[in-house]
Every structure is written in C-alpha cells, then in structure tokens.
C-alpha cells in the first residue's frame, strides 16, 4: 500500500501525513508522580530538574522533555520517531 501512495505524494504532503501519523501514535501526555531515581541520579519531573549525587545537572529543554516522557512511562520502550516527536512537540509549544 505504501508503494502506491508514496510516488504520488509531494514532499510537503508527505511531511504533513507523517506528522499526523506521529501525533496519533504519540503516547498520551502524562507526568510522573514523584521523583524518579536512576542510580546516583534523581529526576524531578514537576520541576524538570536532574540531580546527580545531589548536584544539579544542566539539561536542554529537549533533554528535559525526553526525561519527562520516560519518567511518566517507566518500563515502556519508544521508537526513535516517538522520541523525536516528543522533543519536537516541546519546541513547537514554546
């Protein structure tokens, strides 16, 4: 089916369709309840802050968005496309 659709699409339309698919496939927006411990690091999802051995670790906004996604969905795996979408969604919301 994909081979019959793709040749007839213009690049802009393909980007729009892929974006729509990613929006529908994205996990629901959730937040973790409480701090998430990872070895000697602790992530506070409410403040989007990471501390390692008690000292703050500077995060980019994309890194914080991804950590919030992972913290809210512990044990779940995500495709690269979902991670890219979560990071890009954070940027487009600003």
């Amino acid at each position: 089916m994909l081979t019959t659709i793709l040749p007839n699409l213009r690049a802009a339309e393909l980007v729009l369709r892929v974006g729509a698919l990613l929006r529908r496939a994205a996990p629901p927006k959730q937040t973790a309840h409480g701090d998430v411990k990872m070895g000697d690091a602790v992530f506070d999802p409410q403040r989007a802050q990471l501390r390692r051995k008690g000292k703050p670790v500077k995060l980019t906004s994309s890194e914080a968005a991804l950590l919030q996604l992972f913290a809210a969905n512990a044990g779940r795996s995500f495709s690269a496309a979902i991670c890219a979408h979560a990071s890009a969604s954070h940027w487009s919301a600003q």
Side-chain angles (χ1 to χ4, degrees):
M1 180 174 143
L2 201 55
T3 55
T4 58
I5 295 172
L6 288 179
N8 298 323
L9 290 180
R10 293 185 179 171
E13 185 180 356
L14 178 60
V15 168
L16 291 173
R17 286 186 184 209
V18 169
L21 287 171
L22 288 174
R23 279 191 303 280
R24 287 192 294 268
K29 294 186 180 195
Q30 317 176 35
T31 56
H33 304 292
D35 293 350
V36 178
K37 296 177 184 176
M38 304 164 284
D40 60 357
V42 178
F43 179 67
D44 179 349
Q46 302 303 320
R47 294 187 178 122
Q49 293 178 340
L50 179 67
R51 292 182 143 336
R52 185 167 184 226
K53 295 182 180 178
K55 297 180 182 177
V57 175
K58 188 172 183 170
L59 297 173
T60 66
S61 55
S62 292
E63 290 167 336
L66 287 171
L67 273 174
Q68 287 175 324
L69 172 70
F70 299 147
N73 297 281
R76 185 173 171 192
S77 60
F78 295 96
S79 68
I82 295 294
C83 293
H85 177 69
S87 181
S89 292
H90 176 75
W91 281 104
S92 64
Q94 290 184 345

